[in-house]
C-alpha cells in the first residue's frame, strides 16, 4: 500500500485522519462512524491520549457485585471483552461472604528503578563506591521530585547487585522509591536518569539503561478468603480445588492457564481504572517465576481445621490513582468513584481480591462440572447474534443451541431460519 498520504498524519485532526484512512483502506461511512465513537472520551481527550488517533476501541465494562473487602462492601467495575468473567467473580465473592469476604493488605508502594553500569575494571569497587555514596545519590534523586517527598514519598534506598552477563559483569543499582498513590514510572525513571551521571563519576563505568523494573517485588498486594465446605457443597469440592491447585503448582503448562484466569479478573479492574495492564501482567508472571525460582501459581489453597477452603494471593500491584489515564479518562474516573477508594493501596487490595475470586471461580468450576456449561449460554448468545438473531429471537436460538449442546454458527443459522418460518 502506498502510505504517502499518511505523511504528517500526526499533525492532522481526527476527521482529516479518518478521511485519509478511508481513502487508503476503503472503509465504509458506517465503519468510519463506528471509529468516531470514542467511548467516554471526547474527540479532544482521545486525541491527547495517544498519537495518530482515529477512534477508540470501547471495551465493555460490567460491575462485579457481592465483594466484601476488609468488612466493607465494594462494587467493582471490570472492563473486559470475555463473557463469564464478571459473573464468575461476583459468584465467587458471594460464596466468600458467609466467612466474612476478603481480607487484604499491601506493602508500602515501593518501586524499583534500575541503573545498568558497565565497563568497570573492578565491579566490587564500583559497588562499594555506590553504596558509600548512597545518601548523596538518594538526595540527588529526591531533588527531582520535591512534591513526592513533601507528601511523604521519595527515594528510600539503593541496592547494588553484580550480575554476570554475556557482555561480562555489570553492576546494577536498584533505586527504591516510595511512589505513594502514583504508579511511579515517571518519578522513578526521572530519578534514575538524574543519578546515573553521578554513578558514572563515582565508578568510572558507563551507564546504559535507567528504567523502572516491572518486577515490583516490594510493592505487593495480598488477599485471603475462606469458602466454607457448606457453601461449596461438600468437602469433596474443597479437595477438588486443592487437587487443581496442586496440578498448577507442579506443572507450568497448567500454571500458565491458572495464572491467566487470575489475570482475567485483575486486568479487567486495571483497565477499568485506566491503569497499565501490561505492567501488571509483566510483574505478575515475572513474580510467579522469581519468587520460587520457577514458574508457580500466584494463588495458593489449603484446607483449614474445619475442612473449609482457604485461598490466598500474593502479587505485585503497581497501580496508581494519580497521573496517567486514571486521572484523565472520564470512564476510569467513574470506575474509581464506583470503587469508592482514596488510595492506590486500596485499589491494589480490591484488585488482589478480584484476582483471587476469579481464580477460585475457575478452580471450582474446573474441579466439578467443568467450565463449558457456564460458558455455553454466553457463548451461544454471541453465536446467535452472529447468525443474525435479534430481539426475542436471540434467547430462542440460544435455548435450542444449549439444549442440543451444539453451539455452532451453521446450526444457529439453521435454527434461526426454522424459527423465522
Ligand atoms: C479462561 O479465560 C480462564 C480459565 O482457563 C482459567 C483456568 O483454567 O484456571 C478458565
Amino acid at each position: 500500500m502506498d502510505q504517502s498520504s499518511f505523511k504528517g498524519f500526526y499533525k492532522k485532526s481526527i476527521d482529516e485522519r479518518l478521511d485519509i484512512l478511508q481513502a487508503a483502506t476503503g472503509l465504509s461511512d458506517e465503519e468510519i462512524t463506528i471509529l468516531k465513537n470514542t467511548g467516554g472520551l471526547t474527540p479532544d481527550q482521545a486525541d491527547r491520549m495517544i498519537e495518530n488517533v482515529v477512534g477508540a476501541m470501547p471495551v465493555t465494562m460490567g460491575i462485579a457485585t457481592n465483594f466484601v473487602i476488609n468488612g466493607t462492601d465494594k462494587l467493582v467495575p471490570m472492563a473486559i471483552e470475555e463473557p463469564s468473567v464478571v459473573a464468575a467473580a461476583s459468584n465467587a465473592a458471594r460464596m466468600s461472604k458467609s466467612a466474612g469476604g476478603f481480607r487484604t493488605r499491601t506493602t508500602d508502594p515501593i518501586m524499583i528503578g534500575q541503573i545498568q553500569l558497565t565497563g568497570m575494571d573492578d565491579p566490587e569497587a564500583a559497588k562499594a563506591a555506590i553504596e558509600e555514596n548512597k545518601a548523596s545519590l538518594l538526595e540527588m534523586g529526591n531533588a527531582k521530585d520535591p512534591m513526592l517527598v513533601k507528601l511523604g514519598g521519595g527515594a528510600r534506598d539503593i541496592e547494588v547487585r553484580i550480575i554476570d552477563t554475556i557482555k561480562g559483569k555489570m553492576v546494577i543499582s536498584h533505586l527504591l522509591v516510595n511512589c505513594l498513590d502514583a504508579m511511579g514510572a515517571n518519578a522513578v525513571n526521572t530519578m534514575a536518569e538524574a543519578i546515573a551521571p553521578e554513578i558514572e563519576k563515582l565508578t568510572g563505568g558507563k551507564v546504559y539503561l535507567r528504567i523502572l523494573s516491572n518486577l515490583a517485588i516490594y510493592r505487593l498486594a495480598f488477599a485471603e478468603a475462606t469458602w466454607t465446605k457448606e457453601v461449596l457443597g461438600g468437602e469433596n469440592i474443597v479437595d477438588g480445588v486443592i487437587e487443581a491447585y496442586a496440578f498448577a503448582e507442579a506443572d507450568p503448562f497448567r500454571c500458565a492457564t491458572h495464572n491467566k484466569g487470575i489475570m482475567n479478573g485483575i486486568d479487567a479492574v486495571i483497565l477499568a481504572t485506566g491503569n497499565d495492564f501490561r505492567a501488571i501482567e509483566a510483574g505478575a508472571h515475572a513474580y510467579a517465576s522469581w519468587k520460587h525460582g520457577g514458574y508457580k501459581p500466584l494463588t495458593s489453597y489449603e484446607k483449614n481445621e474445619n475442612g473449609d477452603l482457604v485461598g490466598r494471593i500474593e502479587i505485585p500491584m503497581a497501580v496508581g490513582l494519580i497521573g496517567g489515564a486514571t486521572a484523565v479518562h472520564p470512564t476510569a474516573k467513574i470506575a474509581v468513584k464506583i470503587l469508592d477508594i482514596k488510595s492506590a493501596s486500596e485499589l491494589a487490595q480490591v484488585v488482589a481480591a478480584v484476582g483471587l475470586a476469579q481464580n477460585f471461580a475457575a478452580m471450582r468450576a474446573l474441579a466439578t462440572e467443568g467450565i463449558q456449561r457456564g460458558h455455553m449460554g454466553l457463548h451461544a448468545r454471541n453465536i446467535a447474534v452472529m447468525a443474525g438473531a435479534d430481539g426475542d429471537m436471540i434467547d430462542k436460538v440460544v435455548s435450542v443451541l444449549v439444549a442440543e449442546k451444539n453451539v455452532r454458527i451453521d446450526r444457529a443459522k439453521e435454527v434461526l431460519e426454522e424459527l423465522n418460518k
Side-chain angles (χ1 to χ4, degrees), residues 95-379:
M95 296 174 88
S96 74
K97 268 172 123 173
S98 69
F102 296 85
R103 304 170 285 281
T104 62
R105 68 188 169 89
T106 58
T107 60
D108 282 344
I110 304 282
M111 296 297 285
I112 298 169
Q114 295 195 289
I115 299 152
Q116 175 201 21
L117 184 71
T118 65
M120 309 115 313
D121 299 330
D122 185 348
E124 288 295 347
K127 179 173 185 277
I130 297 167
E131 284 168 346
E132 273 158 31
N133 289 276
K134 222 184 240 189
S136 60
L137 288 166
L138 290 173
E139 213 171 287
M140 208 176 268
N142 278 328
K144 283 282 159 190
D145 203 332
M147 186 50 107
L148 184 65
V149 174
K150 194 171 152 212
L151 292 170
R156 288 281 188 271
D157 201 359
I158 298 176
E159 293 176 345
V160 191
R161 297 182 301 136
I162 298 173
I163 61 169
D164 282 311
T165 79
I166 51 168
K167 297 288 286 176
K169 288 203 186 303
M170 293 180 186
V171 176
I172 309 298
S173 300
H174 281 185
L175 177 64
L176 309 191
V177 183
N178 184 326
C179 299
L180 300 179
D181 286 323
M183 186 273 189
N186 276 327
V188 169
N189 293 340
T190 305
M191 287 185 189
E193 288 186 7
I195 70 172
E198 186 63 17
I199 288 185
E200 285 186 332
K201 219 185 286 170
L202 288 168
T203 59
K206 170 150 183 55
V207 166
Y208 283 94
L209 272 58
R210 298 139 296 163
I211 187 74
L212 170 117
S213 170
N214 289 119
L215 178 49
I217 58 166
Y218 297 123
R219 194 176 190 173
L220 300 175
F222 306 83
E224 183 186 291
T226 305
W227 287 275
T228 65
K229 57 181 185 299
E230 290 79 21
V231 168
L232 283 178
E235 206 163 330
N236 57 325
I237 301 190
V238 174
D239 293 335
V241 172
I242 292 171
E243 292 286 330
Y245 162 60
F247 180 12
E249 207 282 326
D251 178 25
F253 291 89
R254 170 58 205 152
C255 190
T257 321
H258 177 106
N259 286 341
K260 190 272 183 186
I262 296 171
M263 302 314 286
N264 274 346
I266 287 185
D267 285 345
V269 187
I270 295 296
L271 189 57
T273 56
N275 273 282
D276 180 346
F277 61 87
R278 287 85 57 212
I280 299 298
E281 281 281 342
H285 294 285
Y287 190 70
S289 298
W290 174 85
K291 172 94 199 260
H292 305 282
Y295 190 63
K296 295 289 175 189
L298 290 157
T299 52
S300 63
Y301 292 87
E302 66 181 18
K303 200 196 279 194
N304 69 13
E305 62 283 2
N306 296 328
D308 298 332
L309 181 71
V310 180
R312 294 188 183 87
I313 186 168
E314 174 180 328
I315 186 169
M317 199 46 68
V319 288
L321 275 191
I322 55 171
T326 310
V328 297
H329 197 301
T331 315
K333 288 203 262 185
I334 295 169
V336 170
K337 197 167 175 184
I338 294 170
L339 279 165
D340 191 22
I341 48 174
K342 299 283 176 286
S343 68
S345 164
E346 281 180 88
L347 174 57
Q349 293 177 57
V350 172
V351 175
V354 174
L356 176 59
Q358 206 70 57
N359 178 237
F360 161 79
M363 306 275 271
R364 175 178 163 268
L366 288 166
T368 55
E369 65 186 12
I371 210 84
Q372 279 314 97
R373 202 176 77 89
H375 270 264
M376 190 93 90
L378 288 157
H379 178 52

